[in-house]
Amino acid sequence: SKGAAKMEDNDQEFLRALHEEKIRTQNERAKLITMKLAFITVLFGVSSVDLQIEIARIFWLIYFVPLVAISYDLYIMSADSRIKRIGVFLGRNPISLAGAAEQEWERFCTSYRDGLAPSANMFFSVIVTLGAAAFIHSQQSWTENSARLYFAVWLVLSLAVIAALWLRHQTLIKNIGDYKPNNDNNTRNV
């Protein structure tokens, strides 16, 4: 019937848009990772270059390193989960009309999930936070106890947020990987 043909045309258009969105988001994720590395490298570089400015006047900027890393992590994790959602949908949902090869590829990817990239991103955030803490510690006079307390709270809170985001992302990716379509609601009446 005409309605069924129109529905399939709409489905094909939707699937093409999903594939394009997946590719666009993969490029976005790669760009965000590059921007994160570049921005933090520049931030550390500014603090180590002699710009005829007293370091004591600008070293407080280093306190923002974890915040910047966490902000980038949020965008990177969002892009990563969007990519995973699209991939799982295209590979598993009967309405996606994915070929057998794509479905098998999705099952393979889910079975052998790459936790290395998200973990590497989290470790980088931890390392730059610890690097920022070491730099701040070396620049502080530590004459006031309140400065020590602020520093300790800042460091613990920064590391806790990074770890919590990583754990949340791991759980989200696992849940996406565990997706099982409801075949009764998604199959077509042919």
Side-chain angles (χ1 to χ4, degrees):
S1 77
K2 276 189 164 183
K6 181 69 174 160
M7 184 67 167
E8 286 188 19
D9 289 344
N10 288 342
D11 286 346
Q12 289 303 317
E13 186 178 325
F14 172 70
L15 294 174
R16 271 191 296 278
L18 267 183
H19 277 285
E20 288 169 10
E21 174 67 12
K22 184 176 179 183
I23 291 166
R24 189 189 66 71
T25 307
Q26 286 170 328
N27 292 334
E28 176 188 323
R29 180 181 59 186
K31 185 177 175 183
L32 284 165
I33 291 169
T34 303
M35 288 169 58
K36 176 184 173 182
L37 295 171
F39 187 83
I40 291 174
T41 301
V42 166
L43 202 54
F44 273 120
V46 165
S47 67
S48 64
V49 174
D50 182 10
L51 299 173
Q52 305 301 324
I53 301 171
E54 285 183 47
I55 290 293
R57 289 186 178 178
I58 62 167
F59 91 92
W60 59 269
L61 288 171
I62 301 299
Y63 274 105
F64 290 99
V65 166
L67 185 61
V68 170
I70 289 166
S71 298
Y72 274 109
D73 287 348
L74 287 169
Y75 284 113
I76 291 165
M77 290 174 183
S78 172
D80 191 54
S81 64
R82 281 183 285 158
I83 292 164
K84 302 279 191 301
R85 281 195 312 264
I86 293 170
V88 168
F89 178 83
L90 292 175
R92 295 192 190 164
N93 200 305
I95 202 170
S96 77
L97 307 176
E102 185 175 355
Q103 290 177 350
E104 184 57 34
W105 173 248
E106 178 54 41
R107 280 193 292 274
F108 178 81
C109 288
T110 303
S111 298
Y112 297 97
R113 195 176 286 123
D114 175 22
L116 191 58
S119 297
N121 192 44
M122 186 268 306
F123 284 126
F124 180 73
S125 294
V126 167
I127 288 167
V128 298
T129 298
L130 293 175
F135 182 79
I136 290 167
H137 193 270
S138 73
Q139 297 298 315
Q140 283 279 34
S141 61
W142 302 111
T143 54
E144 298 177 24
N145 283 339
S146 61
R148 288 178 194 260
L149 178 63
Y150 173 73
F151 175 78
V153 168
W154 166 83
L155 180 58
V156 170
L157 190 61
S158 296
L159 293 173
V161 168
I162 292 166
L165 285 175
W166 179 77
L167 288 171
R168 183 185 172 279
H169 185 66
Q170 294 298 103
T171 302
L172 177 62
I173 296 304
K174 183 186 180 314
N175 289 342
I176 291 170
D178 292 343
Y179 166 72
K180 302 270 189 290
N182 182 349
N183 288 334
D184 294 336
N185 293 335
N186 293 330
T187 53
R188 296 178 190 277
N189 295 330
V190 181

